[in-house]
């Protein structure tokens, strides 16, 4: 059976924090082993999920104490992310688990959300505590939106893939990526603005990236992969928002889904998205399209 693996490249260099992260990954792995792989021992699965929640809350408190002691300037924004996870995300996942009588789909969602949130949070937010993230670099001026997005996203994407990620230019929605998967994530802002992010990536590269992040060989797209990608994408949006002068909670998730190729083509038939970035990993490419729209759904040139 494949194991959800902690990888040393995700260490931030603070032992009390790294130790807790390793433990949280091991708890998620045990839940996967008990219920998703073996389809048995529901009671043990229930107890594992309770333990994950309790340990996560304990870890958040310890990490926040470390940030206060270190005088970390991003403490309040970081704490808000912890608070949202423990007060909204985890209770919502628990409600779904019990409502579905711990269905395989609900457990897969729990695993995907928790592992994806942990990975994105470690790479993008926790590393900022020690100054090891793109968010701590000198960025272009916020009015140069494409350069800011590129600077913010390249480093964490490189960490997630475990390979060198290169920005190679502007992506056109008419460009071809072999066996492309189109993943859309939409968020709403406090003033009614709406943000759409679309990842255009070949299926092989998507599964390879998920495998590198979790130490598992994925052979097909699954709910675990989908929800992990969703959480990581949200972490990227939160970090980008901060670099545009907004707080990390400026955008709230509306929904996410994989699009059909025809639906994606129709979406940008009359105009290109506001920002379209093309990246290369090895011999393969993927794209990120970021589009800001007002509440009415019409394109907007204002804001991030």
């Amino acid at each position: 059976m494949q194991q959800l693996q902690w990888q040393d490249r995700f260490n931030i260099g603070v032992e009390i924090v790294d130790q807790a992260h390793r433990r949280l990954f091991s708890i998620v792995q045990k839940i996967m082993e008990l219920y998703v792989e073996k389809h048995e021992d529901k009671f043990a699965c229930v107890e594992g999920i309770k333990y994950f929640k309790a340990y996560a809350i304990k870890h958040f408190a310890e990490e926040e104490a470390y940030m206060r002691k270190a005088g970390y300037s991003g403490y309040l924004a970081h704490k808000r992310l912890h608070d949202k996870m423990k007060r909204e995300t985890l209770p919502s996942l628990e409600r779904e688990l019990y409502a579905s009588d711990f269905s395989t789909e609900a457990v897969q969602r729990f695993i995907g959300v928790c592992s994806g949130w942990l990975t994105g949070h470690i790479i993008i937010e926790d590393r900022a505590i020690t100054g090891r993230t793109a968010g701590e670099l000198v960025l272009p001026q916020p009015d140069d939106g494409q350069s800011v997005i590129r600077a913010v996203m390249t480093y964490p994407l490189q960490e997630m893939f475990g390979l060198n990620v290169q920005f190679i230019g502007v992506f056109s929605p008419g460009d071809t990526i072999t066996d492309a998967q189109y993943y859309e994530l939409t968020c709403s802002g406090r003033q009614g603005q709406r943000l759409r992010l679309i990842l255009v990536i070949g299926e092989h590269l998507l599964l390879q990236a998920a495998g590198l992040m979790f130490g598992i060989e994925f052979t097909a797209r699954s709910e675990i992969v989908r929800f992990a990608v969703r959480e990581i994408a949200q972490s990227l949006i939160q970090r980008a928002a901060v670099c545009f002068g907004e707080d990390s909670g400026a955008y709230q998730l509306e929904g996410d889904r994989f699009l059909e190729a025809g639906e994606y083509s129709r979406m940008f038939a009359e105009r290109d998205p506001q920002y379209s970035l093309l990246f290369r990993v090895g011999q393969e490419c993927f794209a990120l399209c970021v589009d800001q729209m007002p509440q009415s759904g019409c394109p907007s040139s204002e804001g991030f």
Side-chain angles (χ1 to χ4, degrees), residues 175-193:
D175 293 343
T176 300
I177 291 180
T178 305
D179 296 325
Q181 305 285 302
Y182 305 92
Y183 173 74
E184 178 193 47
L185 184 146
T186 56
C187 299
S188 58
R190 290 170 179 161
Q191 305 303 317
Q193 70 272 35

Side-chain angles (χ1 to χ4, degrees), residues 93-154:
L93 291 170
E94 279 189 309
R95 287 193 296 269
E96 183 179 357
L97 286 163
Y98 282 100
S100 68
D101 194 29
F102 284 74
S103 68
T104 298
E105 292 77 13
V107 177
Q108 286 182 329
R109 179 173 183 173
F110 181 91
I111 292 168
V113 168
C114 292
S115 56
W117 188 91
L118 278 169
T119 302
H121 188 77
I122 290 167
I123 291 172
I124 298 168
E125 300 298 337
D126 287 344
R127 284 194 173 175
I129 300 170
T130 57
R132 297 172 59 199
T133 174
E136 297 294 305
L137 300 178
V138 176
L139 295 169
Q141 292 300 310
D143 57 358
D144 184 4
Q146 181 163 295
S147 294
V148 173
I149 293 171
R150 184 177 73 211
V152 169
M153 293 186 174
T154 300

Side-chain angles (χ1 to χ4, degrees), residues 15-78:
E15 182 55 30
I16 189 173
V17 175
D18 292 334
Q19 183 180 34
H21 291 161
R22 290 192 292 270
R23 183 59 179 160
L24 287 167
F25 263 79
S26 72
I27 297 168
V28 174
Q29 161 56 31
K30 193 62 177 179
I31 295 168
M32 179 183 287
E33 176 185 347
L34 290 170
Y35 209 66
V36 176
E37 298 288 344
K38 294 184 177 180
H39 301 282
E40 62 183 32
D41 206 344
K42 173 183 170 181
F43 175 77
C45 179
V46 171
E47 292 304 305
I49 289 168
K50 288 180 179 177
Y51 184 46
F52 177 92
K53 181 180 178 181
Y55 195 87
I57 291 172
K58 175 177 178 290
H59 162 58
F60 293 161
E62 291 176 344
E63 187 172 274
E64 289 161 14
Y66 176 83
M67 287 189 286
R68 290 194 300 271
K69 183 177 180 180
Y72 175 50
S73 61
Y75 167 76
L76 290 177
H78 197 127

Side-chain angles (χ1 to χ4, degrees), residues 227-252:
F227 286 110
V229 170
R230 187 188 76 174
E231 294 304 313
I232 290 167
Q234 285 189 89
S235 295
L236 288 169
I237 289 172
Q238 289 162 351
R239 173 55 61 176
V242 170
C243 292
F244 277 89
E246 302 183 65
D247 68 60
S248 59
Y251 289 91
Q252 300 296 316

